[in-house]
Amino acid sequence: AKLDPGVKLNVQLLTPKASAPGAAIVQAVSPNSLVLDKQPSSITVRIANFSDQPQQDLEVALSIDGTKVEAQKVNIPAGRSVAARFRHVFDTAGDHLGTVTAGSGEPYFNARTIPRIPVLLINGRPSPNPREDAAFFIGKALSPTAESPFAVQTVPADKVTPQDIAAVSVVVLANVGEIPPASATAL
């Protein structure tokens, strides 16, 4: 591989921490982008024991934004690896720096938490029959589950208000012929 001009590569050897000789995190899986939905997210690491002795009660700790939020103990047979799983609720929007520590190595991750995007779905042809309702299928496509990044509110076209429009980031018109003049101006 060739590096761009001005780019320097420094290689440093890593040594295991004295508290857990031969144990190291060899794999980490964490969320990189998620929706602020108060649902727990999974963070998983695999810790390997490279020594010929079992590792008993090795602490694996999860820290988020510099605060230790959870820890667990694992036992790893000699020459084997085990997984440690954490579930964490990212309850504020923004970037959250996370680390997991166990033995040597401390993988870092960033979990970007975005607020749910408010969507107004203006329905030009409401119907109790989903096949005839103009907004039914697009509403289901935008928000199929509670974990959807969209918070969808559906309003009949003749009932939409300027306040409805002002309260959202996205407006979708589903088979709308006309809306009240004040709402058209708000759009």
Side-chain angles (χ1 to χ4, degrees):
K2 190 175 182 180
L3 298 175
D4 288 338
V7 174
K8 294 180 181 180
L9 174 64
N10 293 320
V11 178
Q12 295 181 354
L13 295 175
L14 298 177
T15 56
K17 290 182 180 178
S19 62
I25 296 173
V26 293
Q27 182 182 26
V29 178
S30 60
N32 54 10
S33 182
L34 47 111
V35 175
L36 182 63
D37 60 5
K38 308 286 193 230
Q39 298 296 315
S41 297
S42 179
I43 297 120
T44 304
V45 294
R46 179 159 292 283
I47 306 111
N49 181 358
F50 296 105
S51 74
D52 59 0
Q53 298 295 316
Q55 296 282 335
Q56 301 295 322
D57 293 328
L58 177 66
E59 183 176 273
V60 184
L62 171 67
S63 295
I64 304 294
D65 297 327
T67 302
K68 184 176 174 180
V69 295
E70 188 178 347
Q72 56 185 269
K73 302 271 186 177
V74 296
N75 298 321
I76 314 171
R80 305 287 302 263
S81 66
V82 298
R85 292 176 183 83
F86 298 95
R87 305 276 291 158
H88 182 73
V89 175
F90 292 90
D91 56 2
T92 58
D95 289 315
H96 300 282
L97 176 63
T99 61
V100 180
T101 56
S104 66
E106 186 174 10
Y108 290 83
F109 64 91
N110 182 63
R112 175 163 286 165
T113 308
I114 59 170
R116 294 182 80 191
I117 300 164
V119 176
L120 177 63
L121 182 51
I122 301 175
N123 192 346
R125 197 176 69 220
S127 173
N129 180 350
R131 292 182 142 178
E132 296 173 4
D133 187 287
F136 178 80
F137 290 107
I138 193 159
K140 287 296 181 193
L142 288 170
S143 188
T145 66
E147 292 82 30
S148 169
F150 304 106
V152 179
Q153 174 192 2
T154 304
V155 176
D158 61 345
K159 304 270 193 266
V160 67
T161 67
Q163 294 79 13
D164 294 331
I165 294 166
V168 298
S169 299
V170 178
V171 176
V172 178
L173 297 137
N175 198 27
V176 174
E178 69 179 78
I179 59 175
S183 296
T185 302
L187 276 175

